[in-house]
Amino acid sequence: MITFFAALVILIVGYFVYGKIVEKIFAPTDKATPAIANPDGVDFVPISTGKAFLIQLLNIAGLGPIFGAISGAMWGPSVYIWIVFGTLLAGAVHDFMSGMLSERNGGASISEVTGKYLGPVMHNVMRIFSVVLLVMVGVVFMVGPAGLLARLTPEWLDVKVWTVIILLYYFLATLLPIDKIIGRVYPLFGILLILMAIGIAIGTIIHSGERPLMEFTFKNLYPGTIDSATGQVTGVRPIWPLMFITVACGAISGFHATQSPIVSRCIKSEREGRKIFYGAMVAEGVIALIWAAAAVAFFWNKDGTGTGLSALKAIGGGNSNSVYDMCVALLGKIGGPIALLGVIVCPITSGDTAFRGARMTIFDWFKLDEKKIKIRLSVAVPLLLIGYAISFVNYSVIWRYFSWSNQTLAMIVLWASAVYFATNYGSNPNRCWIAAIPATFMSAVSITYLLYAPECINLGARGATGLTISYVGGVIVAFVFLAIFLLTAYKNPAKSLERQNAVNIDPRAAE
């Protein structure tokens, strides 16, 4: 229990200490934000700091800090380290910079922002990559809650029926002005989300006598398979890079970068950025920490035979079944369903803005007018239909591809942030390291996973040799990326800045 509370304290203190450092390095100004300078009543709508924080939190806190954190718990309490320090040093920096760089470029979508700072090739790659990721996110956050709702309602309201109902809500949230649905209901949902996490934390502490909170260990506790004849354990999956990818939104998430522009178009001052963007990510880190700690405590040796976390592995890690079992067991027949409502709200309120973000990305790409309802319909309807078609693919497969593409996008956004810091602050390029160091780290994570994972190149099938090749390859590519950054931006900022200044990505510039 000491480890859990220590991790919680570090997250909270980190927000005030490191968050303040990041804000000081970025140096916010009093220049009018896009919402103040160019309100349009659809996407550019000024809202209060509190509302903006809750909308940002619900935009980013989908299934990642719940399903991802529970799945990450299969490796044991070592997941706490990644959630805490990944959140403070990488995830919150990533979210803050994606929001503020969007704000400083007129509320541009993240594909346009990364294109400006990383060049025209990456610009087009990111446009496609962002739309694909956002549709996948929308699907993940549509099927997950549909499964939970199906367990709480009569049999005829099955997963397919709930998927269609959620899809219809997504249609309205994607199409209507941000203050008509999102701005009105998200603050209430945000409170529910926070209360749900607090409820799970309290329930875990109350039941700590029978299900004690585990203290921290670096040991890999992923449950393998024991050979009855030899006693040899096989199938233990490595912490690096799999846990770092699996936790997803609970520590850092490229998906967040696609959501931050939605709120960057609504903030009234740059000085609100730390509270909204950095703060929302820290809040999500707290939620992920609670669910990870609760999962380790709940599933460890559940059958009393010393099987470790095999019960969590058997149920499939983080999914609607494991969440349902935890909520009901920890909070009872009344508190459980109430907590489940928070779990259901989380993904739905991220899925709707995922499709909205995809629509905004396409609008910025082709310079379409968001004020015209027919044009919004012509983009929103096909996106949602594609999402519905993908929903029939196996959920675990979608989640694995989402997890990798999610962290890869985070890597790209951090590199764009590093370029911005290295080139836009005169003779002081060293501001860049708050983004360049986590960008290098995430590059190693992403490339190692790409080489190792079965859904990618699958070097893991070669055993220890394949794992070693993946490790070495990931580190080498990460340092190659760092060298490219040092040569093109850090050592030659003038040329990079000249190219940036030649690009205007303000979505309102064409009007």
Side-chain angles (χ1 to χ4, degrees):
M1 191 176 295
I2 293 173
T3 301
F4 170 72
F5 282 107
L8 189 61
V9 168
I10 293 171
L11 276 171
I12 295 170
V13 172
Y15 163 74
F16 290 102
V17 177
Y18 196 67
K20 199 72 175 175
I21 292 172
V22 172
E23 180 184 51
K24 185 176 180 180
I25 291 173
F26 180 77
T29 69
D30 293 317
K31 184 180 177 181
T33 64
I36 300 299
N38 298 299
D40 70 352
V42 178
D43 292 327
F44 294 81
V45 180
I47 57 178
S48 68
T49 304
K51 236 180 209 185
F53 168 82
L54 288 171
I55 291 173
Q56 176 71 3
L57 176 60
L58 283 171
N59 283 356
I60 65 176
L63 293 174
I66 301 173
F67 285 14
I70 294 173
S71 293
M74 286 192 286
W75 283 271
S78 57
V79 73
Y80 301 166
I81 288 288
W82 176 230
I83 289 173
V84 171
F85 293 102
T87 292
L88 293 174
L89 303 179
V93 173
H94 165 278
D95 287 14
F96 176 81
M97 288 306 298
S98 59
M100 299 313 291
L101 287 182
S102 171
E103 184 276 331
R104 285 198 171 174
N105 285 279
S109 300
I110 199 61
S111 57
E112 307 302 303
V113 171
T114 52
K116 176 174 180 176
Y117 299 109
L118 297 181
V121 173
M122 188 57 67
H123 198 170
N124 289 317
V125 169
M126 280 295 295
R127 283 168 167 167
I128 298 170
F129 198 82
S130 296
V131 173
V132 171
L133 174 63
L134 284 165
V135 172
M136 288 175 65
V137 168
V139 173
V140 167
F141 294 167
M142 180 166 54
V143 176
L148 284 169
L149 286 165
R151 295 197 61 169
L152 294 172
T153 53
E155 190 174 337
W156 65 272
L157 286 170
D158 59 12
V159 173
K160 290 183 179 179
V161 173
W162 278 114
T163 299
V164 172
I165 293 172
I166 293 170
L167 191 71
L168 291 174
Y169 164 73
Y170 283 180
F171 172 74
L172 294 174
T174 302
L175 198 64
L176 295 176
I178 193 168
D179 58 337
K180 299 304 180 186
I181 292 182
I182 294 173
R184 293 184 180 182
V185 302
Y186 271 37
L188 298 175
F189 288 163
I191 294 170
L192 178 62
L193 166 62
I194 294 167
L195 290 176
M196 171 269 299
I198 293 172
I200 290 295
I202 293 173
T204 301
I205 293 169
I206 290 173
H207 289 84
S208 61
E210 59 193 89
R211 306 177 190 272
L213 281 159
M214 288 185 67
E215 301 301 342
F216 176 76
T217 175
F218 279 112
K219 186 178 180 181
N220 183 353
L221 299 180
Y222 191 92
T225 302
I226 302 175
D227 189 307
S228 58
T230 64
Q232 189 174 17
V233 179
T234 59
V236 177
R237 306 187 78 188
I239 291 176
W240 174 279
L242 300 185
M243 185 187 74
F244 293 83
I245 293 289
T246 301
V247 172
C249 309
I252 181 172
S253 168
F255 164 65
H256 297 183
T258 67
Q259 300 301 285
S260 294
I262 295 175
V263 175
S264 78
R265 298 182 178 196
C266 300
I267 64 174
K268 294 187 287 187
S269 169
E270 280 195 352
R271 302 187 188 281
E272 299 174 352
R274 179 174 66 92
K275 296 176 183 176
I276 295 169
F277 299 113
Y278 197 97
M281 182 59 228
V282 171
E284 182 170 9
V286 170
I287 293 169
L289 177 67
I290 290 171
W291 279 100
V296 172
F298 185 83
F299 287 101
W300 179 260
N301 288 340
K302 186 178 179 183
D303 56 6
T305 59
T307 53
L309 290 163
S310 59
L312 178 55
K313 180 182 178 182
I315 204 171
N319 55 41
S320 58
N321 292 322
S322 55
V323 169
Y324 180 87
D325 289 351
M326 288 174 66
C327 286
V328 173
L330 294 174
L331 300 175
K333 292 183 178 180
I334 296 177
I338 293 174
L340 277 171
L341 288 176
V343 179
I344 291 165
V345 164
C346 268
I348 290 177
T349 53
S350 290
D352 60 5
T353 50
F355 282 111
R356 188 182 188 92
R359 190 261 295 167
M360 285 169 49
T361 300
I362 292 172
F363 270 59
D364 288 357
W365 185 352
F366 295 103
K367 306 300 180 186
L368 303 176
D369 185 358
E370 72 272 4
K371 293 181 182 179
K372 296 179 179 179
I373 188 69
K374 288 184 179 180
I375 297 179
R376 298 211 301 274
L377 276 170
S378 68
V379 174
V381 171
L383 283 173
L384 291 165
L385 290 176
I386 291 170
Y388 180 69
I390 297 174
S391 70
F392 291 97
V393 177
N394 183 281
Y395 180 83
S396 62
V397 173
I398 298 174
W399 181 267
R400 289 199 299 269
Y401 281 108
F402 156 69
S403 295
W404 176 78
S405 58
N406 185 42
Q407 304 305 63
T408 301
L409 177 57
M411 169 196 80
I412 295 169
V413 173
L414 283 168
W415 280 123
S417 301
V419 171
Y420 175 80
F421 277 127
T423 57
N424 284 267
Y425 288 86
S427 59
N428 185 13
N430 288 321
R431 297 171 186 250
C432 70
W433 294 113
I434 65 166
I437 291 174
T440 304
F441 181 84
M442 289 308 301
S443 297
V445 169
S446 182
I447 300 303
T448 303
Y449 187 88
L450 177 67
L451 295 171
Y452 178 84
E455 62 270 21
C456 299
I457 297 176
N458 196 24
L459 291 179
R462 300 187 180 184
T465 301
L467 182 60
T468 301
I469 294 172
S470 301
Y471 283 172
V472 173
V475 172
I476 289 174
V477 173
F479 278 100
V480 168
F481 287 170
L482 177 61
I484 293 171
F485 162 73
L486 292 173
L487 293 172
T488 59
Y490 187 81
K491 292 294 186 182
N492 194 9
K495 185 175 181 180
S496 178
L497 186 60
E498 182 182 358
R499 177 180 51 76
Q500 294 169 32
N501 291 336
V503 179
N504 184 0
I505 59 172
D506 187 331
R508 310 303 300 279
E511 296 182 7

